[in-house]
Amino acid sequence: MEKGKLTAGKEHLVMDNSPTNLKLNRIAFIGNYLPRRCGIATFTTDLCEAIATQYSQTTCIVLPVNDIEAGYAYPSRVRFELTEKDIDSYRRAADFLNINNVDIVSLQHEYGIYGGRVGSHILALLRELRMPIVTTLHTILRDPDRDQRRVLREVAALSDRLVVMSARGVEFLQEVYGVPPDKIDLIPHGIPDVPFVDPSFHKDLFGVEGKIVLLSFGLLSANKGIENVIAALPKILAKHPNVVYIILGETHPHVVRNEGETYRLSLQWLAQEKGVEGQGIFYDRFVSLEELVQFISAADIYITPYNDEAQITSGTLAYTLGAGKAIVSTPFWYAKEMLADGRGALVPFRDPEALADQVNSLLDNEAQRHAMRKRAYVFGRDMIWPQVSIRYMESFERARAERRHYAHQEFAVKPLDKRPGELPPLKIDHLRHMTDETGILQHAIFTIPNYLEGYTTDDNARALMVSALLEALGNIEAPELASRYLAFIWFAFNSKTGCFRNFMDYQRRWLEDGGSDDSHGRTLWALGTVLGRSNMPALHSMAGMVFEQALPAIVNTTSPRAWAFALVGIHEYLLRFTGDRRASQVREELSGRLLKLYQHNRSNEWRWFENSLTYCNAALPHALLMCGQSIPNTAMTETGLEALNWLADLQRAEAGHFVPIGSNGFYPQGGERARFDQQPIEAQAMVSACLEAYNITGDKLWRKEARRAFEWFLGRNDLNLPLYDPTTGGCRDGLHPDRPNQNQGAESTLAFLQALLELRLAENPLLAIETGTQ
C-alpha cells in the first residue's frame, strides 16, 4: 500500500440495531495498529473493533502511523497510512479526513509514536481538522519538560474531549496542564472478557503442569525491571522449588533496531549467574490475543516490576487484573490506583528481597491469594471492552453535541496568506551522492562529483549543520552523515595553530596549514549547532573538544563574516551550556565589534556594516539579532532589524521577487550593483536571518520575507527558472544572466537544504523550541 495514499475499501449500510440510536456514521481512529507490534497498536485495534462490533451501523476507519518504510500488512479498515517522520503525510491525512465525511476522530496520543521531537508532527494534522477530536492520552507526565508540556497542551486545546484511564491522569491534566475538568472523561483501559478460571486449566499447554507459574509479559525493554524478578528467584525457590517464571514477549522493535538484544541477553546471563536458568522461561514472541489469554490464565501470580513510577496506564496490568490474577507490582502510578483496596500487592522499586518476600507470602497463604483474585476480577467487570466501548461512544456523542454550539463552516478553503504554498519534499539523494567515506566533495560537474577539486572544511561544516537540522526533524540518516562530517572537521583542526585547514585534495592531502577566517567561523557555527541541538552524546564529546580548542582563535580574525558565523554558533552552544563564561566573553567581544562597525559605516542612505555588500550578507544582521536577544542588548537588536530591513528592501525586485547581490562585482557603496551571478548562499542567509527576525518580533512580514527568499530557489527569480532540482534533491550553483549554472556543487545544495529545513522547523514552532532556535 502506498504511504500517504488512499486505500480502497468497501462500505455498506446496516440497519440500526445498536444499543443507542446514534448519529455517528463514520469514526476515524488515528494511532498505531496491528500487525505493528506495540501496546498502542493493540489498544487502537481493540478499541476500534469493540466499537465496530457494538455499533454495527457505524463505519470505523483507521489511519495508522508507519515507523518503517515498508509499512505493515494492515486489514481493510485501514484507509490511509501516515509516515512517521514525514510531516507532509500528516497534512495529507487531514485533507483526507476533511473530505470523507468523518464525524469524529479518535486519536491515540503517545509522544513516541508520531514524528518530530516529542511527537509534534501530529499537531500539523490536528490543526487542519474540522470535525470533533477525542484524544486518548496514554502518557501524562507529572514533570514534563518545556516541550512535552507545550505539545500536550496544544493537543488538549485542539481536542474537544480528552480521555484518561486513571484518576491520577485527571489530576495531572488539571494541575500540570491547565485542562478544565469538564473536558476530561475518565474511561478505564479496555480488557478482553475472560472467565475466572483455575490457573491449572491451561498449564499443560505450556508444559508447566504441576508448577507454580509466575508471569510477566509485554515488549521487553530495560525499564521493565525483569532483572529484579530474576534476582528474587533464588529466595522464592528456596521456599517453593516448583516455581517457574515465564517472561512472555519479544524485545521492543525500536530497542532491537537501536540496541539489538542486549537487554534480553543480560537477563539470560543474570539467570545463569543466579543459578535459576532452569526456572526461567523466555517466550520471545508477540502472541495473539487468544494465546495471551491462555498464558494469563495459566499464571498463579502476575508480576509488574517496572523501575519507574511515571506510568499513567498499563495494558498488561489491566489485562491481568481483569482476568482475576494475584498481582505483585512496583508502585508506579497506575498500579497504586488499580491495586488499591486489596486487589494486589505493592513492593518497592528495584528491591528483589521485598519482591521475593511478597511472592512467598502469597504462595504461603492460599486464602489471601484467592481473595485478592476475586476482588480484582469483580473490579475488572467495568473494564471489559463492551462496557468501555459504550463509554467511548458517550464521549464521542458529547464532543459532537458540544461542537454544534459553535458556528462551524462545513468546508473552509484557506487563502494563501493563511496557508502558504507547500514546501518541496525533503530529498537528500544528491547530498548522499556528493558524500564519500571522507566527507562531502566540494564541486560537481553537472550532478557528478568532481574529484579534481577535492574537499573543503567550509562545505563539511555546512553539511554538519544540515545534519543537525535533519536530526531535529527525525531523519534516520542524520547520525551517520553527522559522524562523517564531524570526523572531517576533527581531521581539519590543526592543534599547533588552533585553526582549521580548509582545502584538501582527493588524495586526502592538506593543501595549507590554515584556512580562511570565514571557514574558521563557519566551522565554529557548525560545532555550536551540533552542541546546542543534537541529542547524540557521541557527537557532543568530539564537537565539544574541538569547539573548546578552536574558539580562542576567532578573536584574532578580522573578517566580519567570520565573527558573524562564529556568533551564531556560540549562540546555539550557549542555549544548552549557558554557564560557559569564556564563550560568553567571546560573544560579547565579537558582537561589540559588529555593532561598532555598523555605527561607523551607517548613514541614512547606507545602513550597512561595511562600505560594500559582498557575499552571505544577511549573516551580519542575523548574528546581531541573536546576540541582542541573548546578551541582552537592545542596541544590537535594533541594529540587526534596521540593517536586515534595509537589505530586504534592497534585494526586492520591482516585480516583488528576491534579487540577491550578484557575485560578479558585488555592490560597492556609491558604485554599480552587480545583478548576476546570483548565489544560493545569499538566499539561504536571508531565509535564516528573516526567520530569526520573526522569532524576535512576531511580525509575520518577516516570515513572508523568508518565504520570498526561499522561492528564489524554486523559480521566483529574474529568469523564472528553478535552481532546485527535484529529480536529485540538489541545487544548481547559481543564476547567470541567461541561465542557471547546471553544476550542483556542495555549497549550493547545502544552502538549499539548510533553508528548506529551517523553514520546516519554523512551520512547527514546537520543533524550533526543542532544538534551541527560540
Side-chain angles (χ1 to χ4, degrees), residues 9-17 24-26 49 51-53 55-61 76-77 79:
K10 296 182 179 178
E11 299 175 16
H12 56 277
L13 296 175
V14 181
M15 293 297 293
D16 186 0
N17 57 2
L24 298 176
N25 298 316
R26 197 170 175 85
E49 292 303 319
I51 288 178
T53 299
Y55 302 94
S56 57
Q57 89 290 357
T58 298
T59 298
C60 295
I61 64 172
S76 59
R77 288 198 195 282
R79 295 294 310 280

Side-chain angles (χ1 to χ4, degrees), residues 304-367:
T304 45
Y306 299 165
N307 286 332
D308 186 2
E309 69 170 353
Q311 187 154 333
I312 207 71
T313 187
S314 167
T316 63
L317 182 62
Y319 274 36
T320 50
L321 181 77
K325 295 286 105 178
I327 300 172
V328 176
S329 176
T330 51
F332 60 94
W333 295 332
Y334 188 69
K336 289 173 71 174
E337 190 168 322
M338 292 296 104
L339 302 184
D341 301 323
R343 293 187 291 270
L346 300 176
V347 296
F349 293 106
R350 298 181 179 86
D351 192 339
E353 286 286 322
L355 196 154
D357 290 342
Q358 184 61 65
V359 169
N360 283 332
S361 175
L362 287 175
L363 293 178
D364 291 339
N365 192 331
E366 186 173 358

Side-chain angles (χ1 to χ4, degrees), residues 313-612:
T313 187
S314 167
T316 63
L317 182 62
Y319 274 36
T320 50
L321 181 77
K325 295 286 105 178
I327 300 172
V328 176
S329 176
T330 51
F332 60 94
W333 295 332
Y334 188 69
K336 289 173 71 174
E337 190 168 322
M338 292 296 104
L339 302 184
D341 301 323
R343 293 187 291 270
L346 300 176
V347 296
F349 293 106
R350 298 181 179 86
D351 192 339
E353 286 286 322
L355 196 154
D357 290 342
Q358 184 61 65
V359 169
N360 283 332
S361 175
L362 287 175
L363 293 178
D364 291 339
N365 192 331
E366 186 173 358
Q368 178 190 6
R369 190 168 78 250
H370 286 303
M372 179 185 290
R373 291 186 59 207
K374 290 178 181 177
R375 285 191 289 268
Y377 188 78
V378 170
F379 182 81
R381 291 307 81 205
D382 289 336
M383 299 170 63
I384 61 175
W385 276 115
Q387 296 298 319
V388 169
S389 66
I390 293 173
R391 299 279 299 278
Y392 267 92
M393 266 299 197
E394 291 170 348
S395 181
F396 296 161
E397 286 185 289
R398 183 173 176 185
R400 198 173 190 208
E402 290 170 344
R403 180 67 75 95
R404 289 197 191 104
H405 291 295
Y406 301 94
H408 187 67
Q409 293 175 296
E410 282 302 309
F411 188 74
V413 180
K414 292 185 177 181
L416 285 176
D417 64 338
K418 299 298 183 182
R419 187 175 185 174
E422 298 291 337
L423 293 170
L426 177 63
K427 188 172 186 177
I428 60 172
D429 294 19
H430 193 57
L431 175 64
R432 288 195 302 261
H433 188 52
M434 292 289 291
T435 301
D436 64 13
E437 61 184 7
T438 300
I440 191 166
L441 288 145
Q442 181 180 188
H443 290 303
I445 302 173
F446 299 107
T447 62
I448 308 301
N450 184 355
Y451 296 159
L452 184 63
E453 300 292 339
Y455 314 83
T456 69
T457 301
D458 213 12
D459 288 330
N460 278 273
R462 290 185 177 97
L464 182 59
M465 278 189 278
V466 165
S467 300
L469 297 175
L470 285 170
E471 183 196 344
L473 288 168
N475 185 278
I476 60 174
E477 297 182 71
E480 181 181 350
L481 291 170
S483 177
R484 190 158 302 182
Y485 305 135
L486 182 56
F488 186 99
I489 288 170
W490 166 253
F491 187 41
F493 184 67
N494 186 338
S495 58
K496 294 179 181 179
T497 64
C499 299
F500 296 97
R501 305 173 181 94
N502 192 24
F503 290 101
M504 175 196 281
D505 67 17
Y506 190 63
Q507 287 72 39
R508 299 180 180 174
R509 295 176 302 209
W510 289 109
L511 304 179
E512 58 192 357
D513 290 330
S516 66
D517 288 356
D518 289 359
S519 69
H520 192 88
R522 193 182 296 278
T523 307
L524 286 173
W525 182 358
L527 293 169
T529 300
V530 168
L531 290 165
R533 296 183 183 232
S534 176
N535 288 313
M536 292 184 278
L539 297 184
H540 284 177
S541 299
M542 181 178 283
M545 186 162 43
V546 186
F547 184 85
E548 181 180 5
Q549 295 180 57
L551 185 62
I554 194 65
V555 178
N556 299 322
T557 60
T558 58
S559 165
R561 278 157 190 77
W563 305 339
F565 299 156
L567 283 169
V568 179
I570 293 169
H571 173 85
E572 298 274 5
Y573 169 80
L574 288 173
L575 287 172
R576 179 169 280 177
F577 302 101
T578 310
D580 189 325
R581 180 166 176 76
R582 185 170 68 168
S584 297
Q585 289 172 339
V586 173
R587 177 178 62 182
E588 290 181 13
E589 169 66 23
L590 298 182
S591 60
R593 290 183 192 176
L594 273 185
L595 181 61
K596 289 178 182 177
L597 198 64
Y598 184 84
Q599 292 168 342
H600 176 74
N601 286 284
R602 178 199 182 277
S603 67
N604 289 335
E605 295 76 27
W606 187 262
R607 301 188 179 188
W608 198 242
F609 300 80
E610 303 166 295
N611 60 8
S612 64

Side-chain angles (χ1 to χ4, degrees), residues 633-654:
N633 186 307
T634 303
M636 290 181 183
T637 301
E638 291 175 350
T639 295
L641 289 172
E642 180 181 85
L644 186 60
N645 191 60
W646 182 78
L647 182 64
D649 288 341
L650 188 70
Q651 297 186 131
R652 184 183 296 108
E654 290 184 8

Side-chain angles (χ1 to χ4, degrees), residues 142-410:
R142 181 178 60 188
D143 300 304
D145 63 31
R146 178 180 60 174
D147 310 314
Q148 291 165 337
R149 184 193 305 270
R150 292 187 62 149
V151 167
L152 189 52
R153 289 187 71 173
E154 183 163 356
V155 168
L158 292 167
S159 301
D160 294 81
R161 302 207 62 73
L162 299 171
V163 175
V164 297
M165 304 182 208
S166 65
R168 181 69 66 94
V170 175
E171 173 188 329
F172 287 174
L173 277 185
Q174 294 179 67
E175 295 180 0
V176 179
Y177 301 92
V179 177
D182 60 357
K183 193 174 186 174
I184 305 169
D185 293 323
L186 174 56
I187 303 177
H189 193 297
I191 60 173
D193 188 3
V194 298
F196 186 80
V197 298
D198 187 279
S200 299
F201 187 77
H202 283 114
K203 287 183 179 180
D204 60 312
L205 294 175
F206 311 110
V208 292
E209 57 268 36
K211 299 285 188 179
I212 297 172
V213 176
L214 311 181
L215 172 69
S216 295
F217 78 86
L219 294 171
L220 283 188
S221 60
N223 65 334
K224 296 298 177 68
I226 301 298
E227 65 277 5
N228 297 312
V229 187
I230 293 174
L233 280 179
K235 189 171 184 179
I236 296 171
L237 290 166
K239 291 194 70 175
H240 302 278
N242 62 333
V243 161
V244 294
Y245 178 40
I246 296 177
I247 302 103
L248 171 63
E250 65 182 11
T251 305
H252 196 292
H254 288 179
V255 175
V256 171
R257 203 172 302 153
N258 298 320
E259 305 171 18
E261 290 287 2
T262 301
Y263 180 60
R264 182 183 296 276
L265 289 171
S266 73
L267 296 177
Q268 295 173 358
W269 295 334
L270 179 62
Q272 293 172 4
E273 178 187 323
K274 296 293 184 182
V276 296
E277 64 268 33
Q279 286 74 34
I281 303 173
F282 285 85
Y283 280 89
D284 184 9
R285 289 175 53 218
F286 187 88
V287 298
S288 66
L289 178 60
E290 180 182 1
E291 291 177 292
L292 178 58
V293 168
Q294 292 170 345
F295 272 102
I296 293 173
S297 297
D300 293 280
I301 296 177
Y302 180 73
I303 304 176
T304 45
Y306 299 165
N307 286 332
D308 186 2
E309 69 170 353
Q311 187 154 333
I312 207 71
T313 187
S314 167
T316 63
L317 182 62
Y319 274 36
T320 50
L321 181 77
K325 295 286 105 178
I327 300 172
V328 176
S329 176
T330 51
F332 60 94
W333 295 332
Y334 188 69
K336 289 173 71 174
E337 190 168 322
M338 292 296 104
L339 302 184
D341 301 323
R343 293 187 291 270
L346 300 176
V347 296
F349 293 106
R350 298 181 179 86
D351 192 339
E353 286 286 322
L355 196 154
D357 290 342
Q358 184 61 65
V359 169
N360 283 332
S361 175
L362 287 175
L363 293 178
D364 291 339
N365 192 331
E366 186 173 358
Q368 178 190 6
R369 190 168 78 250
H370 286 303
M372 179 185 290
R373 291 186 59 207
K374 290 178 181 177
R375 285 191 289 268
Y377 188 78
V378 170
F379 182 81
R381 291 307 81 205
D382 289 336
M383 299 170 63
I384 61 175
W385 276 115
Q387 296 298 319
V388 169
S389 66
I390 293 173
R391 299 279 299 278
Y392 267 92
M393 266 299 197
E394 291 170 348
S395 181
F396 296 161
E397 286 185 289
R398 183 173 176 185
R400 198 173 190 208
E402 290 170 344
R403 180 67 75 95
R404 289 197 191 104
H405 291 295
Y406 301 94
H408 187 67
Q409 293 175 296
E410 282 302 309

